Amino acid sequence: MNWWRSAAIYQVYPRSFADGNGDGVGDLAGLRQRLPYLADLGVDALWLSPWYPSPLADGGYDVADYRDIAAVFGTLVEAEKLIGEAHALGLKIIIDIVPNHCSDRHPWFQEALNGVGRDRFWFHEGDEPPNDWQSRFGGPAWSRTPDGAWYLHLYSPHQPDLNWDNPEVRAEFADVLRFWLDRGVDGFRIDVADGLVKDFTRPDAESPYSDQDGVHEIYRSWRAVLDEYPDERVFVGEMWLPDPERFARYLRPDELHSAFNFDFLCCPWDAAELRRVVDATLSAHAPVGAPPTWVLSNHDVTRHVTRFGRGDTSFDFGRRQHLTPTDLELGTKRARAAALLTTALPGCVYIYQGEELGLDEVDDLPDELREDPVWVRSGHTDRGRDGCRVPIPWGDDGPSWLPRPAHWVGLSVAAQGGDPDSMLSLYKAVLRLRRAEDALGDGGLGWLDLGPDVLAFRRDPGFACVLNLSAEPVELPAHEEVLLSSGPLVDGALPPDTAVWLRVA
């Protein structure tokens, strides 16, 4: 079986994972030191958010050089050592690639500011911008250069959009793919995978810069590059698309291998809604034969311990609910149950760094320390994404580029490592069993009817998962053994907001 069809993949946000030199910023030295921790956790692969040279106008997603490593993280030689050391521990390495836009410090854009190679980007001459497109970070999507021209940026003004109608852009990224494949990376997570092609003939269309048909030709050409290499390299797409059929088009056999399932990430803690999303996900992936993915948190969204402790447990970029009252005890209980749910579903699962520690969103960062451009572009009305990017606690921590809350001392790796009831111990048990159980990973499922507020399914051979989302304990179905539970059973019954894995006949 292809490794990526059932992998457990751990997301590393390099600035916030592990600091190897004591300067308060995570780096490759720290990550290399912690590779045994990740192997012991039980994951199969690491996905690294951008590690390229960048002015950090958007947390590294403004890339100034696609063929090097940011000096604050280390060197290209260290990156090559990291890849080799990870492989020696049985860990794959997936890196971010950012093809929709680059940094305004990228040599190409610096040349464009001087009038050279502007057709690599979207420039417009005139007194007014060509349309009223809005940036996804707030405000207009067009900014003016000193000579009066306009350029397109769907995100920050420091992130000019590349023109994928230009053959030079296409050739450049094919070469970038080969550069990293030659150094042993096992795949790429594609940022804004749906956004590369723009339709300027219909500027008022619902999505003139998202999910245009021409994007599929690009990914077919990328797949041809990837297939030149042995050992099952993989593409993972980031697409926030409401139409499951159009989403599945990216996963046809000659395009991307998999894509993030954001419907599941945004879903409220509700049995009917969770089942609806699971069914829709499986239905969308089946015709193209691609494995589903399941994800609860990432570097862009509210950590789910916090989200699950709120009155509204869904996630929406337009309604982040910053500073909303949160019951962290309830959120943690639900997060434990969600760990069993996601890892039992068919396909592969993503774990965002710190999720295995039960970290919560840091909503109360001092405003002067916020770096997310959303904070400024929204006129200080959206507190942005810094709260999910606070460096994770190891237990021997020095200063960090964003301050950790005091209560995280009790959530550190050191504090949880010896506690059999900790979130960390639960994740290790979950991932160990997931790897050992023949029923888990890729495949199908069959629903069990245990009531409208209970999510229960069977996976063959001989496995069942039950999640109680009701307000009362529920009796377990007939079983031979309790393999694992997210919390204690009460007189053999499953309490609210608790999940269990069962051996069944």
Side-chain angles (χ1 to χ4, degrees):
M1 179 186 295
N2 308 108
W3 68 267
W4 44 269
R5 297 190 66 91
S6 58
I9 301 173
Y10 187 97
Q11 181 188 357
V12 172
Y13 191 74
R15 290 183 80 193
S16 301
F17 183 68
D19 176 7
N21 63 8
D23 66 355
V25 179
D27 49 36
L28 295 187
L31 175 54
R32 290 171 63 195
Q33 292 166 12
R34 303 296 183 177
L35 286 175
Y37 164 83
L38 294 167
D40 183 59
L41 182 62
V43 297
D44 303 295
L46 311 182
W47 153 37
L48 276 66
S49 292
W51 55 4
Y52 311 105
S54 167
L56 298 178
D58 180 25
Y61 285 88
D62 49 320
V63 179
D65 184 348
Y66 289 88
R67 295 181 181 82
D68 204 354
I69 300 296
V72 71
F73 296 149
T75 65
L76 186 57
V77 169
E78 284 183 280
E80 293 170 342
K81 290 180 179 178
L82 167 70
I83 294 167
E85 290 163 2
H87 287 170
L89 290 170
L91 297 169
K92 308 283 188 181
I93 295 289
I94 298 170
I95 65 171
D96 244 305
I97 191 165
V98 188
N100 179 71
H101 49 263
C102 63
S103 167
D104 61 353
R105 307 284 182 86
H106 190 284
W108 276 7
F109 194 73
Q110 290 296 303
E111 290 176 5
L113 290 177
N114 293 317
V116 178
R118 285 191 169 182
D119 56 350
R120 298 164 174 159
F121 301 91
W122 295 110
F123 273 82
H124 173 76
E125 305 290 340
D127 293 334
E128 301 291 335
N131 54 52
D132 61 357
W133 289 356
Q134 296 296 295
S135 162
R136 288 169 172 165
F137 284 169
W142 296 92
S143 287
R144 209 162 197 180
T145 62
D147 65 1
W150 301 87
Y151 69 92
L152 177 68
H153 55 86
L154 291 183
Y155 293 88
S156 158
H158 301 290
Q159 296 166 281
D161 277 44
L162 291 157
N163 174 9
W164 277 84
D165 290 345
N166 186 324
E168 189 178 3
V169 172
R170 298 193 180 209
E172 169 71 0
F173 274 87
D175 189 73
V176 168
L177 293 176
R178 290 189 175 95
F179 178 88
W180 290 108
L181 290 166
D182 288 344
R183 280 153 183 78
V185 303
D186 300 286
F188 301 88
R189 177 265 191 187
I190 307 169
D191 187 60
V192 196
D194 60 302
L196 277 54
V197 175
K198 281 75 175 176
D199 184 356
F200 289 95
T201 66
R202 298 185 303 138
D204 298 325
E206 183 178 354
S207 298
Y209 44 73
S210 173
D211 192 34
Q212 299 298 313
D213 289 343
V215 77
H216 297 284
E217 176 190 346
I218 295 169
Y219 293 132
R220 282 191 287 271
S221 70
W222 281 26
R223 182 63 178 264
V225 171
L226 204 71
D227 288 346
E228 297 171 7
Y229 290 80
D231 304 323
E232 293 192 300
R233 317 294 176 96
V234 62
F235 284 128
V236 185
E238 181 210 28
M239 301 96 66
W240 292 81
L241 299 178
D243 184 335
E245 292 184 4
R246 293 194 67 85
F247 174 90
R249 295 179 67 199
Y250 290 81
L251 304 178
R252 289 174 291 196
D254 60 346
E255 294 190 40
L256 310 184
H257 299 79
S258 63
F260 291 119
N261 182 0
F262 293 118
D263 285 348
F264 185 81
L265 181 152
C266 295
C267 188
W269 190 250
D270 175 85
E273 281 299 298
L274 285 166
R275 176 163 177 170
R276 179 191 64 77
V277 169
V278 170
D279 282 339
T281 298
L282 297 177
S283 296
H285 285 73
V288 290
T293 66
W294 311 101
V295 56
L296 294 165
S297 291
N298 65 30
H299 65 290
D300 283 333
V301 306
T302 303
R303 285 192 176 273
H304 61 275
V305 163
T306 295
R307 179 164 59 89
F308 287 158
R310 291 173 173 166
D312 179 354
T313 55
S314 64
F315 177 79
D316 187 324
F317 275 115
R319 185 176 41 81
R320 292 176 188 265
Q321 304 184 70
H322 290 299
L323 301 177
T324 300
T326 300
D327 183 341
L328 288 182
E329 183 178 353
L330 176 61
T332 300
K333 185 177 183 181
R334 289 172 170 174
R336 291 175 64 91
L340 269 67
L341 171 64
T342 54
T343 48
L345 290 167
C348 67
V349 62
Y350 282 80
I351 298 164
Y352 178 46
Q353 64 178 43
E355 178 178 325
E356 79 279 13
L357 303 177
L359 300 185
D360 50 300
E361 187 81 359
V362 185
D363 259 351
D364 58 353
L365 289 168
D367 291 347
E368 65 272 16
L369 296 182
R370 296 187 180 279
E371 296 194 8
D372 190 346
V374 171
W375 171 240
V376 174
R377 297 280 292 175
S378 67
H380 297 169
T381 60
D382 187 333
R383 302 175 75 83
R385 300 162 294 174
D386 293 314
C388 64
R389 300 175 177 182
V390 175
I392 67 173
W394 293 94
D396 54 355
D397 309 295
S400 60
W401 69 278
L402 286 174
R404 302 176 184 90
H407 72 272
W408 276 19
V409 171
L411 299 177
S412 70
V413 173
Q416 295 196 43
D419 180 1
D421 298 322
S422 70
M423 183 76 83
L424 179 57
S425 294
L426 177 70
Y427 264 80
K428 288 182 177 180
V430 162
L431 293 170
R432 183 181 66 251
L433 272 171
R434 186 177 188 271
R435 187 175 284 173
E437 287 292 315
D438 292 337
L440 298 182
D442 200 17
L445 64 74
W447 292 108
L448 303 174
D449 185 6
L450 298 182
D453 294 319
V454 180
L455 204 64
F457 54 89
R458 177 190 174 98
R459 302 200 60 196
D460 291 325
F463 176 92
C465 177
V466 182
L467 168 59
N468 181 12
L469 293 106
S470 74
E472 302 294 335
V474 297
E475 295 300 320
L476 296 175
H479 59 279
E480 297 176 348
E481 180 185 0
V482 173
L483 296 172
L484 186 66
S485 64
S486 64
L489 303 181
V490 178
D491 296 327
L494 188 65
D497 297 312
T498 307
V500 65
W501 285 1
L502 303 173
R503 173 82 63 219
V504 295

